[in-house]
Amino acid sequence: MGIRVAVAGASGYAGGELLRLIAGHPEFDLVAATAHRQAGAPVTAVHPQLVGLDLVFAATDPTTLADADLVFLALPHGESAALAAELPESVRVVDLGADHRLRDADAWSRYYGGPHAGAWTYGLPELPGQRAAIAGATRVANTGCYAVAITLALAPLIAAGAVAPADVVVVAASGTSGAGRAAKAHLLGSEVMGDLSPYKVGAHQHVPEIKQATGATGLSLTPVLAPMPRGILATVTAVPTGDADPRVVLADAYADAPFVHLLPEGTWPHTAATAGANSCHLQATVDVDSGRVIVVSAIDNLGKGAAGQAVQNANLMLGLPETTGLPTFGVAP
């Protein structure tokens, strides 16, 4: 027997990606996959890409999950905290929802509403000191998808004093899977195809998380829904505070990061190049007109933005190499 893992909320897009990664993980044994409305259905009825995974969705119940060594919570925001509180302390938990990301209760109330469940160890290993913190934790809050794409582009520059933290502007396009699997009229193929549309302009819930993770003090984020199933492309701009080369800063920050790749100069990130991988592709330059630093970041929102990141965190929590069972290469086209 390997390490026993379970997935709550396994019928969603992030849950399905977790099941795919767990099935190929050399140390994990999947012992339970739970769902709400899909409880009792075969996993392959919801995730046909997982043909051969002979498993039926169980109801989401703490007793179903308590026998696992580690549980992934892939539940809607606001639903993880109550379930996590009923799991034994001996069970490690990675929460893909937002419930435990924010340290500031006022920020939680402003952007999410409802009671603040408290902060867990933040699950972005590439931040300074976080690998060790995650390895020593039993409860880890996975990053938001926009948050990881933007934080990886921005945090080293602010930490190095290369850009000002007060005037950061981000425009980021995301695939439709970022909105979840629930049926919504604005996500119908006929509404999305051939169209780009901004949403939650000036009020996206990942803003306080990004500020918390990067040290930014002023951040404007404009998310854009793009006609693709998965991927995020974030363009991050900030005011330089000196002559530091942003590429050098990023190269130094991620020299030992197996999943963060600074592309050769002049080569720009593509979302398709990260599809199916736990990788982040970065490129940086300085705008010849405004002088602003520009960093472009690409991830798979279901990979490094959700399920891949969760497995990376789980590996660290369980004493495994963080790369175990995780793809670095994408599957383009």
Side-chain angles (χ1 to χ4, degrees), residues 185-211:
H186 73 284
L187 297 177
L188 293 171
S190 56
E191 302 290 336
V192 174
M193 295 301 105
D195 186 42
L196 291 170
S197 57
Y199 65 99
K200 294 186 179 179
V201 178
H204 195 276
Q205 68 270 17
H206 287 177
V207 167
E209 179 186 347
I210 297 164
K211 292 173 70 177

Side-chain angles (χ1 to χ4, degrees), residues 9-275:
S11 60
Y13 289 131
E17 189 73 350
L18 274 170
L19 296 180
R20 182 180 76 87
L21 293 173
I22 291 167
H25 196 289
E27 303 293 340
F28 288 174
D29 283 338
L30 180 65
V31 296
T34 78
H36 290 296
R37 290 187 299 273
Q38 298 293 343
V43 165
T44 52
V46 178
H47 301 301
Q49 74 275 20
L50 302 178
V51 62
L53 187 60
D54 186 18
L55 194 67
V56 172
F57 288 117
T60 301
D61 186 291
T63 58
T64 304
L65 304 168
D67 286 338
D69 299 309
L70 183 140
V71 173
F72 297 100
L73 301 179
L75 300 169
H77 301 316
E79 295 187 13
S80 297
L83 180 59
E86 295 190 61
L87 295 175
E89 284 296 321
S90 59
V91 177
R92 293 175 172 85
V93 181
V94 179
D95 182 12
L96 280 74
D99 293 31
H100 302 96
R101 294 174 188 159
L102 299 182
R103 296 191 293 266
D104 186 338
D106 290 337
W108 172 268
S109 177
R110 181 181 180 188
Y111 283 88
Y112 291 96
H116 182 234
W120 289 355
T121 299
Y122 190 60
L124 184 52
E126 290 80 10
L127 290 177
Q130 284 307 106
R131 279 188 180 85
I134 293 164
T138 59
R139 300 287 190 272
V140 169
N142 221 50
T143 56
C145 54
Y146 279 120
V148 64
I150 296 164
T151 297
L152 290 174
L154 180 61
L157 298 173
I158 291 178
V163 300
D167 182 15
V168 179
V169 178
V170 182
V171 177
S174 175
T176 56
S177 60
R181 195 163 198 155
K184 301 171 185 175
H186 73 284
L187 297 177
L188 293 171
S190 56
E191 302 290 336
V192 174
M193 295 301 105
D195 186 42
L196 291 170
S197 57
Y199 65 99
K200 294 186 179 179
V201 178
H204 195 276
Q205 68 270 17
H206 287 177
V207 167
E209 179 186 347
I210 297 164
K211 292 173 70 177
Q212 175 181 285
T214 63
T217 57
L219 186 144
S220 172
L221 168 61
T222 302
V224 177
L225 184 65
M228 57 187 186
R230 56 201 294 168
I232 287 178
L233 188 75
T235 301
V236 181
T237 77
V239 178
T241 55
D243 298 326
D245 184 337
R247 282 182 48 83
V248 172
V249 174
L250 293 172
D252 289 345
Y254 298 125
D256 298 319
F259 295 114
V260 183
H261 307 283
L262 180 64
L263 300 182
E265 193 163 3
T267 301
W268 291 92
H270 295 254
T271 56
T274 66

